[in-house]
Structure formats: C-alpha cells, structure tokens
C-alpha cells in the first residue's frame, strides 16, 4: 500500500501538472478563433491603406481584395514604395511600424498554420495588432480590435479565478482525505481525472464565450 503522504503528494502533482493549470495557459481553440478574426481585420486595414495610397502597386501584387493580401508581403511592398505614401503621420511612424513586422506577420502565420502560443506571446500579438491598426487605419478603425482586447482581458481574469477555485477545492479534498480512513483516502486516486473533467468544462465554456463574442462582433461584416 502506498503511504498516505506519498499518495496525497502524487494526487496534487497530477492535478497541478494538468496543462490547463499552467500559468501562461490560454485555450488554443479560443486563441485560434481570435487570431483568425484579428488577421482578417488587419488584412482589411492593410488593403484599404493600399487602395488609398498605392492602388496600382497593390493591383500589380495581385491584391484585389483583403483576402488576397498577405501581411508579411505587405511590409515588403511598403519598404519598396514607402516614399510614395504622402501621409505625414505614416512617415513619422514608419520606423515604429517596421518594428512590429515580426509580430504582425506571426499573427497570420499562427492563424493559418494553427500554431499555439503561450498567453504572454498571444497578448503581445493583440497589442501589436492594435498599434498597427491605429497606424495605418486610424483610431476609429482600431476600436473593434480594442474591444477584442478588453474582452480577452476580462474573460482571462474570469478563467483564472475559476482555475484557482478548482485548484483550491482539490487541495481541500486532499486535506480531508488525510483525516479519513484508508478506504476513503484511496478514492483520492480518482481525483485528478475528476478535476481534469471539470477543468475541461471550464475551458469549453471559455471557448464558447469567445465564439459568441466574435460572432456578435463580426455579424455585420
């Protein structure tokens, strides 16, 4: 028979090692949906920018609609034709804009190739998208991305609270098992799987909220 203290230690380690309890965890399904939405917004803003300032160059590149545009190639085109953009604000922020190139390009790459990122990297992508949008499309056009950012922050906070409560309840169950007879303590072996299922339910609810938000936000487009 496994000693009680080792059993309790194993149970808790099994629980806290679940992917959903990692500090930087962000549900991939939700992340992917958000990045896809952001990608479409950025492509639309980039296409409108080119239609205003570099229409012939955009047509020559084969970009006849936002969906045809590729963000990493957008930066290449701007590098070549930057001087043709007669917008003082753009020229002043050009160096800053190029500094976001890698992050903005990675948004499309992650959305298209379904590449997961940790929470810190994902939130960095959202911030860069807003700055990029403000630079080429203006403050008004970036409001939708700002609403996405606000929603993400609120939802993540709620998600973290539920995760913390679930972990607290698991610790409580383990501590109760320490005072119970052996035949009850052995039931703790089933606790990690029970916690995993509840955690999955919490994650599913989170993903569902993201889907509903994006549907409401983009239903008119």
């Amino acid at each position: 028979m496994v000693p009680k203290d080792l059993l309790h230690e194993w149970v808790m380690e099994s629980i806290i090692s679940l992917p959903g309890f990692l500090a930087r965890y962000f549900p991939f399904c939700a992340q992917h949906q958000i990045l896809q939405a952001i990608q479409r917004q950025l492509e639309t803003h980039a296409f409108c920018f080119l239609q205003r300032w570099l229409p012939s160059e955009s047509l020559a590149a084969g970009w006849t609609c936002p969906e045809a545009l590729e963000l990493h190639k957008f930066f290449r085109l701007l590098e070549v034709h930057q001087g043709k953009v007669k917008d003082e604000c753009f020229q002043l922020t050009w160096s800053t804009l190029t500094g976001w190139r890698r992050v903005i390009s990675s948004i499309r790459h992650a959305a298209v190739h379904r590449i997961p990122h940790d929470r810190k990297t994902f939130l960095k992508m959202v911030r860069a998208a807003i700055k990029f949008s403000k630079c080429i499309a203006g403050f008004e056009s970036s409001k939708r991305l700002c609403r996405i950012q606000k929603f993400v922050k609120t939802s993540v906070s709620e998600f973290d609270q539920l995760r913390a409560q679930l972990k607290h309840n698991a610790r409580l169950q383990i501590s109760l098992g320490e005072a119970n007879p052996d035949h009850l303590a052995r039931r703790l072996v089933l606790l990690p799987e029970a916690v995993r299922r509840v955690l999955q339910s919490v994650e599913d609810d989170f993903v569902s909220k993201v889907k509903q938000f994006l549907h409401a936000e983009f239903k008119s487009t």
Side-chain angles (χ1 to χ4, degrees):
M1 181 180 295
V2 179
K4 270 189 176 183
D5 55 343
L6 293 180
L7 173 61
H8 299 156
E9 182 179 339
W10 173 83
V11 170
M12 197 63 220
E13 287 182 355
S14 298
I15 290 172
I16 63 177
S17 64
L18 291 170
F21 280 131
L22 296 177
R24 291 188 172 186
Y25 182 72
F26 194 100
F28 172 70
C29 288
Q31 180 183 135
H32 181 62
Q33 291 178 30
I34 293 170
L35 288 179
Q36 281 186 314
I38 291 176
Q39 177 199 357
R40 289 192 295 268
Q41 279 294 104
L42 296 184
E43 288 172 346
T44 297
H45 293 165
F47 181 75
C48 291
F49 179 87
L50 292 177
Q51 288 298 101
R52 180 180 181 184
W53 297 109
L54 301 168
S56 58
E57 289 79 5
S58 177
L59 184 61
W63 298 339
T64 56
C65 62
E67 292 75 15
L69 184 145
E70 296 182 61
L71 291 171
H72 63 291
K73 293 182 179 180
F74 170 76
F75 281 97
R76 295 177 192 170
L77 187 142
L78 284 185
E79 282 181 337
V80 176
H81 302 288
Q82 172 203 352
K84 298 179 182 179
V85 179
K86 306 304 180 182
D87 181 89
E88 184 177 354
C89 180
F90 169 79
Q91 294 297 339
L92 289 173
T93 58
W94 168 245
S95 60
T96 303
L97 185 64
T98 56
W100 302 326
R101 178 174 183 167
R102 178 174 295 181
V103 180
I104 296 299
S105 298
S106 69
I107 291 174
R108 176 191 177 277
H109 191 64
V112 172
H113 299 287
R114 303 180 65 86
I115 299 174
H117 290 281
D118 62 33
R119 184 184 300 187
K120 182 178 180 180
T121 302
F122 170 72
L123 294 178
K124 181 180 179 180
M125 289 177 171
V126 176
R127 291 193 299 270
I130 292 173
K131 293 176 181 178
F132 175 81
S133 179
K134 287 180 178 178
C135 183
I136 67 170
F139 178 79
E140 191 67 27
S141 296
S142 68
K143 283 186 175 180
R144 177 170 278 165
L145 293 178
C146 290
R147 288 194 295 271
I148 290 177
Q149 182 187 48
K150 182 179 179 180
F151 169 79
V152 168
K153 287 182 177 180
T154 301
S155 299
V156 164
S157 177
E158 294 173 353
F159 180 63
D160 286 347
Q161 290 176 19
L162 291 172
R163 293 195 307 164
Q165 184 61 48
L166 182 57
K167 189 182 293 185
H168 171 76
N169 291 344
R171 292 185 186 278
L172 181 60
Q173 289 295 318
I174 292 174
S175 65
L176 291 175
E178 294 175 352
N180 285 330
D182 289 343
H183 72 281
L184 292 179
R186 285 195 293 270
R187 294 173 58 182
L188 287 176
V189 175
L190 304 176
L191 187 59
E193 175 59 19
V195 172
R196 186 197 67 78
R197 291 183 179 183
V198 176
L199 185 60
Q200 184 62 55
S201 178
V202 170
E203 180 173 329
D204 290 344
D205 288 343
F206 179 83
V207 173
S208 179
K209 288 180 180 179
V210 169
K211 186 175 182 179
Q212 291 172 14
F213 169 81
L214 293 176
H215 177 73
E217 187 67 36
F218 291 92
K219 63 182 179 181
S220 61
T221 59

